[in-house]
Structures are given as C-alpha cells and as structure tokens.
Amino acid sequence: MVQQESLLEVIGKVDKFPYVPDSNYYSLIAHDEITQIGYITKSIAHHFAEELALKVDHEARTVTIDPGLDTLEKRESVFADMANRFRKIPEFDIAVNKGWRNELYTIYNPSQVPYLKVERAFSILMGVITYGIHLNGYVPAEKSNNGKLKLWVQRRSATKQTYPGMLDNTVAGGLGYPHGLWETVVKECYEEGGLPPAFVEPRAKPTGVLLYIYQQQGEGSIAQPEVEYIYDLPFDDETSVVPKPVDGEAESFVLMDVQEILLKIMQGEFKPNCSLVVVDFLIRNGHITPESEPNYAEIVSRTHRRMPFPTR
Amino acid sequence: MVQQESLLEVIGKVDKFPYVPDSNYYSLIAHDEITQIGYITKSIAHHFAEELALKVDHEARTVTIDPGLDTLEKRESVFADMANRFRKIPEFDIAVNKGWRNELYTIYNPSQVPYLKVERAFSILMGVITYGIHLNGYVPAEKSNNGKLKLWVQRRSATKQTYPGMLDNTVAGGLGYPHGLWETVVKECYEEGGLPPAFVEPRAKPTGVLLYIYQQQGEGSIAQPEVEYIYDLPFDDETSVVPKPVDGEAESFVLMDVQEILLKIMQGEFKPNCSLVVVDFLIRNGHITPESEPNYAEIVSRTHRRMPFPTR
C-alpha cells in the first residue's frame, strides 16, 4: 500500500523552515544595517565572508551589505559580479552554474520598492523571497461530464531539472524582471499550456497569495522564502479548450476530480508547493471544510506565513 | 472630508497585538506547565495571583494552571467558580458582569481536544482564542440589477453592547458550546437575518478561516486571539429572498457594491474585524487584486496569523 500523509504533514514539508531559526542561519541585512532581507546558511555565510561588499559577523550571525552600496546601480553591479564568480565555485556548480537561467529576480526594500535585481540561481544562495504565479485551471461541477468539479493537473516533463515527472498546477512560473504578474500569467498560460490570451484574459482572475518558507533537504538546508500569487481559470467544458504542452516544460495535462487529486497529494505525487496551491483552491471552494479537515485553521495559517522581510 | 485609511491600516487595527509581545503580557500556561494557551495582561495577572488554582510568576511572566487540575471536570469546576467571583470585582463589572452571556466558550489543548469550557465574558480576561463564524451573503454580478457584484451588509442594532450602529457582515456569531460550526451558521442565519435553513443549507459553503490577535484599546490592552470561520452564501437575485432583522441584533440590511463597501471600510464605518471578512471575500473573488492593492501579500498574511496556541 502506498504511504499517505495528512495534508498538514504535506504542508509542513513546504513551510518547513523553523519559525524560530536555529544557529545554522545568518540574517542577510540590507545596506541600511537594519532591515533583514534574507536567511543565509552558515556554510554560505563563510563563502560570503570573503566578499568585500559583505560584512559577516559570526557572533551576531549577520551578513550585512556594505553601507556604501547606497544605490540600486551600485548594488546590482556588485552582485552581478559576485553571481558570476560563484558560478565557478565547485560547491555551487549545480545550484548556480547549472541552474543559471539568465533571469533576474527582484528583491524589495522597503516593501514595493525594488532594492536589487539578481540572477535567479544566485538569489537562492541569498535566501531572499522569490515570487511566482500559480494558476488553477478547472471545470466547474455544473460544466463537467459527471457533475463533479475537476482540475487540470500538469505532469512535469521528465527532463526538467527540478521535480521531473511530478504533478503540478495547470500553469506556474517565476516572476522574472521586468515582467508584471498579469503579464506572467498570460505568458505562462500560452508557453506552458498552449492557452491563448484570448481565452485566458477574460476568464482568469487573482484569488489570493500563498506565503511560506521552504527549507532545502540535505546538508545545505538553504531557506527559500516564497510568495506565490494565485489565479483561477474556469474552463467552459471539458473539451472545447484544453491545455497542451508547448515549450516542453509540461509533459501532459489531465483532468482530475477532488478525491483523485487529494489522494495524489497525500501520496506525494505532487511537486510539494503545488500541493499547497490545490489545497488552498479546495478550501476556498468549500471542498475541504472545517468539518472534513481536522487541521483546517493550522493549514490556512501555515500557507499564509507572515514574511520577516519586506515584500513586493 | 471624511478621513480614509488604507486597507492595511484598517487590518493593523484588528491584528493589532504585537508579534513580539512586550512586558505588559504574561503567558497563560496549561496545567502541563508547558503549553501556552493565552496572553494575560499584567493587571489581570495580579488579580489571578490571588487564585489558588493559578500560579503567577512575575519574573517569568507566566500564569500557570495548577498541575493538580488534570481533568476537564476539575478545571471547569474551578474556573466556573472563579468566573462567578470575578463578576463581583468592580474593575470587571462591565467586562464580566455586564458582559455575562451564560454562554460557554471552549479552549482546546492539544489542538482539537477540549481542555476547558468557560463563560464567554470571563474567557476574554484569559486572553484565549475565541471562535466564531462570519457569513458573506452576496448577489453575484450576473444576477444583480446593474451587473455588479453586491454584498448584503448588516447595520448593527443601536442598542447592542458592542459597536452599536456600525456596519457588519451579513451574519456572524460566536461559537458557543455545544454548537458545531455548520449548526451555528444555519442558526445565526435564521436568528440574526431571518434566512430559513431551506434557503441557507443548500447554498452556503465554507471558504476559509481568518486568524488574528486583537488588542483592546485603552488601559487594559487585553489580547483577544480570534479564529473566524468564513462562509459565503450566494443569493439568486436581489429581491426573492432578502435578510431581515429577527432577534434585534441587526437593525437593517442593505445591498452594497464593491466600491461603496471599500469606501465604508476605509472610512471606518465597519465593525473592525468585519472589514477583514469583506476584504478576504473581495481578494478571493478577484475584486481586490495584487495590482490594485499595494499591500496585498501583507494583508493576506496578517489576516491568517499563525496562533501561538493550540486551536480547535
């Protein structure tokens, strides 16, 4: 028999970073020497200690950006150089060099104000918030063939670098500079799922945001704070428009009803953070209820964690 | 001109209790001498210090329930007696004596396991979680007279003890022993809004839960952790069924569109925690978007605060 986890256990593996961080973590502090913008592991802090632009205090467990880096331009120049040098450090070959995307992620400080743009792969080492969009494509109960609500579930390509072959939300993508949220939704719907803007734009709508802090498995235990903006997209029926793979990120798409999808979540077939997106959808739509789910309130608060950093 | 606050300011007045409590607060600890179940103010802790069943440590700022109170029955007997005696303390005449409801609220520890039932008015002094239900009655855009989504807004009776005359959600109520959530929804819909079970039961559905810690104004500054289960109830049109006052809690009900309701929230016309319920509804339904609301992510996380206590 396949092992099953409770929904709270599934969510605990995503919002895994401790609420009171242990001594393995250093705070990444902005050049104002006050505002925390990330969590850095001890081992990465030791690498950062060799950087002129960063002041590492092993006693206070802080990594502080040089107060002299007081403009966006200065910071971006220094961090672009740093990211490129880290590509050549063997320890970071997989994460930074092989993971290199030529895609810039924006860090905010204060909230809503761009503070620094860095290569996506390097931002992971900094333990800063990354942003993305996830979209739930669904056929409402009254429009499905058997009267049951169904979701369009993506199977990830077997050749993807991360979580190959696992189940995923209909469409998802990181928020790279200079793209806006809505633009990213429309773009990813087309690139990942072949859904044309003329179909998506009048139907998709924002329905919330999930916030959690992931902690990588294994020795590194890197902290990954993530903020995922959620969109829902109702389909008119099961057949007239369907998602299909375009850019190779997705291998296939399949319609699943609620029971099927919950089972696959509890059996660990979903990419972990995508489980949260589905659970949130099912809570908002009354398919997971305070009566059916004993950890209802805990699940809802764990998927909307308050970030200790400024946000977008 | 009427002063307007941002939505984040409105929410900050409800989720007002500091995330790192100051020295005005003592932790209420269960009889296991480990688990925190509430926050008590210093001034109330001084009153509790005279109780045999409570051990107050002013150094550690803890109020611990006597380890001897190791059954539900023992605890309830002791706290029922205590609540009755507090009715006679002049300082608590308004809160406990005048606020007395003959309604028992349940405290849980561990999560999902009833630990203690106490009179609603007295539970406020203990700074424990109180639970309730709030329901958004609405006419969907496609069924309203002018094609705009509208919500049924309640005006509270001018004679209510708390927040008289202010705007409120369609229906709301505390979760008193021994009533379940769904039972309370159906009961309050009828008692407060005259909506019959035959209308409510097939239409209402649970859509989430809000969690926040309120801090009373003024000298007392009592902490009030609240968990409010949210239900949505779509109406078929504007006229065939409408809520109307029954038990005198509500003075009237009026349909408002999104612009009107947001304005009244920002102008402070809503009972504060009811603003959060409406904002959550508007976020889930795409009427407040990450583009329209600069503090979108912060608002969502502040309205789903992780409780430092076991929950229902």
Side-chain angles (χ1 to χ4, degrees):
Chain A
M1 207 184 119
V2 181
Q3 207 189 326
Q4 283 189 28
E5 292 182 312
S6 74
L7 293 183
L8 186 58
E9 285 170 327
V10 170
I11 279 149
K13 287 186 169 178
V14 180
D15 185 46
K16 193 174 169 220
F17 189 76
Y19 279 66
V20 180
D22 62 37
S23 63
N24 185 43
Y25 295 95
Y26 287 47
S27 297
L28 176 61
I29 309 286
H31 80 284
D32 63 8
E33 302 179 89
I34 296 170
T35 314
Q36 186 179 358
I37 57 172
Y39 280 119
I40 290 175
T41 65
K42 191 186 289 187
S43 109
I44 293 172
H46 277 90
H47 282 277
F48 282 172
E50 293 165 30
E51 296 293 326
L52 289 175
L54 298 171
K55 190 180 70 194
V56 177
D57 180 335
H58 295 290
E59 193 67 33
R61 300 206 311 270
T62 53
V63 177
T64 306
I65 295 175
D66 182 354
L69 298 179
D70 54 3
T71 69
L72 193 75
E73 290 68 28
K74 288 183 198 170
R75 291 187 288 270
E76 296 194 346
S77 154
V78 162
F79 276 84
D81 174 64
M82 205 186 299
N84 271 306
R85 282 185 288 103
F86 269 72
R87 290 185 82 162
K88 290 165 199 130
I89 301 176
E91 189 178 337
F92 301 115
D93 182 58
I94 290 175
V96 181
N97 193 40
K98 297 227 164 54
W100 197 271
R101 305 256 199 147
N102 280 318
E103 194 178 337
L104 294 174
Y105 269 20
T106 308
I107 301 161
Y108 294 81
N109 175 37
S111 283
Q112 304 155 44
V113 179
Y115 179 71
L116 176 58
K117 294 189 289 291
V118 285
E119 159 62 28
R120 176 171 173 170
F122 185 72
S123 78
I124 301 296
L125 304 194
M126 298 169 67
V128 293
I129 296 177
T130 59
Y131 300 88
I133 64 97
H134 286 247
L135 180 135
N136 298 294
Y138 68 101
V139 180
E142 64 274 18
K143 294 179 175 173
S144 96
N145 290 351
N146 63 358
K148 286 182 180 177
L149 169 79
K150 293 179 188 169
L151 277 93
W152 275 113
V153 174
Q154 179 190 147
R155 183 166 302 275
R156 295 164 68 88
S157 160
T159 61
K160 275 202 108 159
Q161 198 198 2
T162 54
Y163 308 99
M166 293 189 85
L167 300 179
D168 199 331
N169 302 123
T170 318
V171 163
L175 191 70
Y177 177 81
H179 307 294
L181 286 171
W182 182 247
E183 181 194 354
T184 302
V185 169
V186 175
K187 184 168 74 75
E188 292 287 346
C189 277
Y190 186 70
E191 292 178 2
E192 201 166 286
L195 299 167
F199 178 77
V200 173
E201 285 177 347
R203 286 174 178 80
K205 62 177 185 180
T207 50
V209 58
L210 302 187
L211 306 96
Y212 51 86
I213 306 186
Y214 181 67
Q215 186 180 37
Q216 287 188 4
Q217 311 284 352
E219 229 181 299
S221 301
I222 285 176
Q224 279 185 247
E226 297 187 350
V227 176
E228 304 291 353
Y229 293 86
I230 306 303
Y231 293 78
D232 290 353
L233 172 60
F235 283 66
D236 301 333
D237 54 46
E238 295 193 10
T239 51
S240 62
V241 173
V242 301
K244 46 184 179 295
V246 173
D247 64 3
E249 302 269 314
E251 182 179 295
S252 59
F253 294 89
V254 59
L255 276 176
M256 288 188 196
D257 68 25
V258 175
Q259 290 316 310
E260 208 175 345
I261 214 166
L262 277 175
L263 192 65
K264 292 197 184 288
I265 286 172
M266 293 189 292
Q267 291 178 342
E269 292 195 35
F270 269 82
K271 176 176 175 242
N273 67 337
C274 299
S275 298
L276 271 61
V277 176
V278 175
V279 167
D280 171 68
F281 178 87
L282 296 177
I283 286 175
R284 286 186 286 105
N285 287 280
H287 291 274
I288 295 175
T289 74
E291 279 89 5
S292 72
E293 172 49 58
N295 301 302
Y296 191 82
E298 178 78 356
I299 286 171
V300 170
S301 57
R302 292 287 294 275
T303 50
H304 298 96
R305 182 167 178 164
R306 192 180 188 201
M307 289 291 163
F309 322 119
T311 52
R312 189 182 160 284
Chain B
M1 209 183 116
V2 182
Q3 206 188 327
Q4 282 189 27
E5 292 181 313
S6 74
L7 293 182
L8 185 58
E9 285 169 327
V10 171
I11 280 150
K13 287 185 168 179
V14 180
D15 185 45
K16 193 174 168 218
F17 189 76
Y19 279 66
V20 180
D22 61 37
S23 63
N24 185 43
Y25 295 96
Y26 286 47
S27 296
L28 175 61
I29 309 288
H31 79 284
D32 63 8
E33 302 178 89
I34 295 169
T35 314
Q36 186 179 359
I37 57 172
Y39 279 120
I40 291 175
T41 64
K42 190 186 288 185
S43 109
I44 293 172
H46 277 90
H47 283 277
F48 282 172
E50 293 164 31
E51 297 293 325
L52 289 174
L54 297 172
K55 190 181 70 194
V56 177
D57 180 335
H58 295 290
E59 193 66 34
R61 300 206 311 270
T62 53
V63 177
T64 306
I65 295 175
D66 181 353
L69 298 178
D70 53 4
T71 68
L72 194 74
E73 290 68 29
K74 289 184 196 170
R75 290 187 288 272
E76 296 194 345
S77 154
V78 163
F79 277 84
D81 174 64
M82 206 186 300
N84 272 305
R85 282 185 288 102
F86 270 71
R87 289 186 82 163
K88 290 165 198 129
I89 300 177
E91 189 179 335
F92 301 115
D93 182 58
I94 291 175
V96 181
N97 192 40
K98 297 228 163 55
W100 198 271
R101 306 255 199 147
N102 280 319
E103 195 177 336
L104 293 173
Y105 268 20
T106 308
I107 302 162
Y108 294 81
N109 174 38
S111 282
Q112 304 156 44
V113 179
Y115 178 72
L116 176 58
K117 293 190 288 292
V118 285
E119 159 63 28
R120 177 171 173 171
F122 185 72
S123 77
I124 301 297
L125 304 194
M126 297 169 67
V128 294
I129 297 177
T130 58
Y131 299 88
I133 64 95
H134 286 246
L135 179 135
N136 299 294
Y138 68 102
V139 181
E142 64 275 18
K143 293 179 177 173
S144 96
N145 289 352
N146 64 357
K148 286 182 179 176
L149 169 79
K150 294 179 189 168
L151 277 94
W152 276 112
V153 174
Q154 178 190 147
R155 182 165 304 273
R156 294 163 69 86
S157 160
T159 62
K160 275 202 109 157
Q161 196 196 5
T162 56
Y163 307 100
M166 294 190 83
L167 299 179
D168 200 329
N169 302 123
T170 317
V171 163
L175 191 70
Y177 177 80
H179 307 295
L181 287 172
W182 181 247
E183 181 194 354
T184 303
V185 169
V186 175
K187 183 168 73 76
E188 292 287 347
C189 277
Y190 185 70
E191 292 178 2
E192 201 167 286
L195 298 167
F199 178 77
V200 173
E201 285 177 347
R203 286 173 179 80
K205 62 176 186 182
T207 50
V209 58
L210 302 188
L211 306 96
Y212 51 85
I213 306 185
Y214 181 68
Q215 187 181 37
Q216 287 188 3
Q217 310 284 352
E219 230 179 298
S221 301
I222 286 177
Q224 279 184 248
E226 297 187 352
V227 175
E228 304 290 353
Y229 292 86
I230 306 303
Y231 293 77
D232 290 352
L233 172 60
F235 283 65
D236 301 333
D237 54 45
E238 295 193 10
T239 51
S240 63
V241 173
V242 301
K244 45 185 180 294
V246 174
D247 63 3
E249 302 270 314
E251 182 180 294
S252 59
F253 293 89
V254 60
L255 276 176
M256 288 189 197
D257 69 25
V258 175
Q259 290 316 311
E260 206 174 346
I261 213 165
L262 278 175
L263 192 65
K264 292 197 183 289
I265 285 172
M266 295 189 289
Q267 291 177 343
E269 293 195 35
F270 270 83
K271 177 177 175 239
N273 67 336
C274 300
S275 298
L276 270 62
V277 176
V278 175
V279 167
D280 172 68
F281 178 87
L282 296 177
I283 286 175
R284 286 186 287 105
N285 287 281
H287 291 275
I288 294 174
T289 74
E291 279 89 5
S292 73
E293 172 50 57
N295 301 303
Y296 191 82
E298 178 77 356
I299 286 171
V300 170
S301 57
R302 292 287 295 276
T303 50
H304 299 96
R305 181 166 180 164
R306 193 180 186 202
M307 289 291 163
F309 322 118
T311 52
R312 188 182 160 284

